[in-house]
Amino acid sequence: MHEFGLMQSVLENVEKSARDAGAVRVTEIRLVIGEMSEVVPDSLEFAFEALSPDTLSADAELKMTMVSPRSRCTQCGHEFEHKRFMRGCPNCESLVTELLAGKELHIDAIEVEMPE
Ligand SMILES: [Zn+2]
């Protein structure tokens, strides 16, 4: 289950950012996940529950936003968002398109609590 590896690196990044900022704990982690990334949100949540104890993120709320993939048509240059498996160009109906975004998983923002 590759969600464990992903969550591990998310938590490491969050932990480092929070410590660098001098925070005492992380209250919220917001992730942006491309629909083509094959990430299962439930599995990610499960990995978070398993890996977050003993980190600053132990009580953080995990918020995940799924984003539609985006492609560019190699024929007419049109850029468009689409459903996972519908990548044909809506402008010229060409099937030759290039995926620009949708496989990513990144940390959008974190909220932290600073010492009194
Ligand atoms: Zn096109």
Side-chain angles (χ1 to χ4, degrees):
M1 198 161 73
H2 79 148
E3 280 82 359
F4 260 84
L6 286 170
M7 186 46 75
Q8 186 91 53
S9 66
V10 165
L11 284 171
E12 277 166 15
N13 276 314
V14 168
E15 192 80 359
K16 185 175 185 315
S17 305
R19 283 189 193 283
D20 287 352
V24 287
R25 71 187 193 100
V26 178
T27 54
E28 189 176 298
I29 302 171
R30 288 205 290 271
L31 297 179
V32 171
I33 304 166
E35 279 177 11
M36 305 281 282
S37 67
E38 310 291 335
V39 168
V40 181
D42 280 355
S43 302
L44 210 54
E45 183 82 48
F46 180 74
F48 175 72
E49 299 293 332
L51 297 168
S52 63
D54 302 324
T55 71
L56 291 179
S57 304
D59 301 314
E61 193 180 341
L62 186 64
K63 290 193 175 163
M64 294 175 270
T65 305
M66 303 299 288
V67 292
S68 297
R70 212 172 73 244
S71 288
R72 182 199 297 124
C73 175
T74 56
Q75 302 300 305
C76 73
H78 183 59
E79 285 187 20
F80 56 98
E81 284 191 354
H82 54 88
K83 300 247 184 286
R84 261 185 93 160
F85 298 111
M86 296 175 65
R87 293 181 54 184
C89 175
N91 192 40
C92 71
E93 292 178 10
S94 165
L95 295 175
V96 188
T97 60
E98 175 193 8
L99 189 69
L100 297 176
K103 295 185 104 153
E104 71 276 33
L105 180 150
H106 66 255
I107 303 167
D108 184 36
I110 64 172
E111 277 178 21
V112 297
E113 206 173 275
M114 300 302 282
E116 298 282 319

